[in-house]
Amino acid sequence: MLASNALIGLREGLEAALVVVILVAFLVKSGRQWALRYVWTGVGVAVALSVALGALLTYGTSQLSFEQQELIGGSASILAVVFVTGMVFWMRSASRTISGELKGRLDKALDLGPAAVVLVAFLGVGREGLETAIFFYATTEAAGRGNSQPLLGWVIGLAGAIVLGWLIYRGAVRINLATFFRYTGVLLVLVAAGILAYGLHDLQEAGILPGLNSLAFDVSSTISPDSWYGALLKGIFNFSPNTTWLQAVAWTLYVAVVLTLFLRPVKTPPKPAVADAPRTPLAA
C-alpha cells in the first residue's frame, strides 16, 4: 500500500502543484502580484474542503454496520476508479495545453475581480483535491482499519509533489510532462484495476453483487498474504490470493480496454496550411 499510495499522491499532488505554479508564475511575470493572495485563498479553500471530505469519509462511517461500510467502501472504490481513469486520459491529452488554458482563464478572471481569481484557483486545485479524498478513503479501506501505510504513502507522495512543484517553479527541474504522465498513467491503470476488483469484492460482501463464494482461483497456499511478496502485490496492485470470478473478469477487461486506449498515439490536429505569398510581377 505504501508504494501505490505514494504514486497516487505524487501524481495527484503534482497535478495540483502544477496548477499553482502556472497561476503564480503568470501573475509574477505579468507584474500582477496583488492577485497572489486571491490565488492562495482559492487554493486554501480547496485544500480545506478536500481534507474535510477525506476525514468525513474515513471517520464518519466507523459507526455503520459491516454491510453498510462495505457498500460505502465499494462504491467509493468504483468512484475512485472512474476518477483515476478520467484523470489519466485527461492529462494524456491536456499535458501540452494546460499552461495556456489556465493562463487564459486567469487573465479573464483578473478583469472580473478578486472573486473570479479565487474561483479559478479553487476549481483548478479543488478537482484534484476531491479526487485525492476519494482515493485516500478507498485505499484506506482496502488496506484495513488500523493500517498506517496508506497515510504514510500519501504523505510521502504529496510531500514529493510539493517539493517537485517548488523546484519546477524555481527553474531547478524541467520535466517532460507528456512522458511523465504517460509512464505514471500505465502504473495507475494497474493500480486502478486492483481498486476496482477490491471495490467489487466489497459490494459482494455487502450482498449487492453475487458470486462471493465463486472463486476464479485460490493461490493462498502459494502466495501467502503474510509473506513479503504477498504484501507487495497487495500493496501495489490490491492483489488477492482468493479472487472471485467477478473480480478476475473485471480486472482483465479493465486493463485490456483502458491500457489499449491509453497507449494509443495521441492525434495532433493538422497545422493549417500556410498560403503562399503573392508573387509580385517582374518588372518589364
Side-chain angles (χ1 to χ4, degrees), residues 18 110 124 133 138 168 210 247 274:
L18 286 174
L110 288 166
I168 291 173
Q247 290 178 279
V274 179

Side-chain angles (χ1 to χ4, degrees), residues 117-199:
V117 177
V118 172
L119 183 61
V120 169
F122 171 78
L123 293 178
V125 177
R127 187 180 76 98
E128 311 301 334
L130 293 178
E131 289 179 1
T132 300
I134 298 294
F135 291 154
F136 177 77
Y137 175 70
T139 53
T140 300
E141 288 296 300
R145 296 185 181 274
N147 190 338
S148 61
Q149 285 196 15
L151 177 59
L152 180 59
W154 278 102
V155 170
I156 293 173
L158 292 175
I162 293 172
V163 172
L164 200 53
W166 183 80
L167 290 175
I168 291 173
Y169 175 74
R170 301 297 298 178
V173 173
R174 294 186 180 274
I175 296 178
N176 186 321
L177 293 179
T179 301
F180 174 82
F181 286 122
R182 181 178 179 85
Y183 284 112
T184 57
V186 171
L187 293 175
L188 281 177
V189 168
L190 298 177
V191 171
I195 295 176
L196 173 63
Y198 182 85

Side-chain angles (χ1 to χ4, degrees), residues 201 217 219 223 233-234 237-244 247:
H201 187 265
F217 57 84
V219 294
I223 304 177
L233 290 173
K234 170 69 175 177
F237 302 114
N238 268 298
F239 173 78
S240 173
N242 304 308
T243 298
T244 66
Q247 290 178 279

Side-chain angles (χ1 to χ4, degrees), residues 50-116:
S50 305
V51 172
L53 177 60
L56 178 63
L57 289 173
T58 304
Y59 302 108
T61 59
S62 58
Q63 303 302 320
L64 299 178
S65 66
F66 174 78
E67 289 77 12
Q68 291 173 326
Q69 290 183 15
E70 296 300 292
L71 174 60
I72 294 176
S75 301
S77 295
I78 293 175
L79 183 60
V81 172
V82 173
F83 281 156
V84 76
T85 305
M87 175 184 69
V88 296
F89 279 102
W90 179 73
M91 287 307 299
R92 173 177 177 264
S93 59
S95 59
R96 296 178 176 87
T97 60
I98 185 174
S99 179
E101 292 178 1
L102 283 172
K103 290 176 182 177
R105 293 176 191 171
L106 185 58
D107 196 34
K108 293 178 181 178
L110 288 166
D111 295 332
L112 296 176

